[in-house]
Amino acid sequence: MTAPDGLRDVDVLTAVSVTDVTPTVRRVVLAGTPAAAAAAGPTVNLLVPRVGDPAPRWPAVARDGRIVWPVGAHGVALRSYTARRQDAARGEVEIDFVLHGDGPAASWAAAAAPGALLGVAGSGDLGIRAAGRLLLAGDETALPAISRILAEAAPSTTGLALVEVAGPEEEQPLAVPAGVTVRWLHRGGTPPGESTLLAAAVAGLDPPADGDDVFAWVGAESAAVRTIRADLRARWGLGRARHHAIGYWRRGRAMSPAG
């Protein structure tokens, strides 16, 4: 596809390996040009074609970043994810997909094999700020972001990461600074989005002392995030510059991002 004047083609990545890292998380390594890999993160807008579509009708991208969709049916869905890893020199991007639900991204990942295509239509940062102490809280959809934040944190960083998953089989090894503790919260048979574990765990923490250099980052189901955000603002006294809380998905809808 050649973009019309004033527009550019989207970057297209090709799956080169597919690995199940837990029973519900599938890791896909994608390859493309160095420019495409550099543009695909930390957060990335993925263009997800229908399963088995060998020639997707990709949109184009305007100079101001707007996505310009083709006229008529195209079968391509837009979803936001966090790249767990990206290596521009090798032209590689690593995305973890949660296989809950039957949304377009979960369906694509469930059927993914080497050669499958994804488009890239813009990216953004994680909303993290360097701080001496971190509080990270999220469910499995936030694990790629939490993993990346911890891997890139200064060795002197202290803090706590609270991660809600179904059970021990969903835990993943994380590279963590020595002063950061990871606490896994197992919701057992409670469906995703219906547990209060994450909000309760944050509510059970003592707020930081005045003058503490602390930053809180939260990513999970929207209702849980709203509860935690309110706690961080009211009880912890964190202003907008000291926390970032984002609803990654909404109960009743497919888990679209994994991070």
Side-chain angles (χ1 to χ4, degrees):
M1 182 188 88
T2 300
D5 291 342
L7 304 176
R8 66 171 178 83
D9 292 333
V10 301
D11 294 311
V12 178
L13 302 174
T14 303
V16 293
S17 70
V18 180
T19 307
D20 290 329
V21 293
T22 74
T24 63
V25 175
R26 176 160 291 182
R27 181 166 299 158
V28 181
V29 177
L30 301 143
T33 65
T43 62
V44 56
N45 292 325
L46 292 180
L47 296 164
V48 185
R50 287 172 295 202
V51 172
D53 185 351
R57 295 185 63 207
W58 303 112
V61 181
R63 289 191 179 94
D64 62 4
R66 287 182 301 110
I67 298 172
V68 181
W69 296 95
V71 176
H74 49 76
V76 175
L78 178 67
R79 292 293 185 270
S80 179
Y81 274 76
T82 296
R84 190 178 185 277
R85 177 183 65 85
Q86 60 190 124
D87 186 333
R90 298 181 62 177
E92 287 186 350
V93 181
E94 187 175 279
I95 306 283
D96 282 1
F97 294 86
V98 177
L99 300 181
H100 291 157
D102 56 359
S107 298
W108 181 92
L117 303 177
L118 281 178
V120 175
S123 61
D125 62 32
L126 288 173
I128 190 72
R129 180 181 70 78
R133 176 184 169 196
L134 293 177
L135 170 64
L136 309 177
D139 59 18
E140 52 266 82
T141 65
L143 255 177
I146 290 174
S147 172
R148 188 158 178 157
I149 290 168
L150 290 173
E152 296 175 358
S156 59
T157 302
T158 63
L160 175 66
L162 300 168
V163 188
E164 179 192 310
V165 294
E169 71 282 358
E170 293 295 337
E171 296 181 12
Q172 298 182 27
L174 301 174
V176 180
V180 175
T181 298
V182 177
R183 185 187 304 169
W184 296 93
L185 308 174
H186 300 157
R187 62 176 175 267
T190 303
E194 297 183 16
S195 168
T196 60
L197 278 176
L198 199 61
V202 175
L205 300 175
D206 292 329
D210 290 342
D212 275 2
D213 180 24
V214 61
F215 188 87
W217 186 97
V218 184
E221 195 277 331
S222 292
V225 169
R226 287 194 298 270
T227 300
I228 295 170
R229 181 194 293 119
D231 190 21
L232 295 176
R233 290 178 176 176
R235 191 170 62 89
W236 282 48
L238 297 186
R240 291 182 181 276
R242 299 178 66 197
H243 74 284
H244 180 79
I246 181 170
Y248 266 179
W249 63 287
R250 185 174 300 169
R251 181 181 171 189
R253 298 184 183 180
M255 281 186 171
S256 62

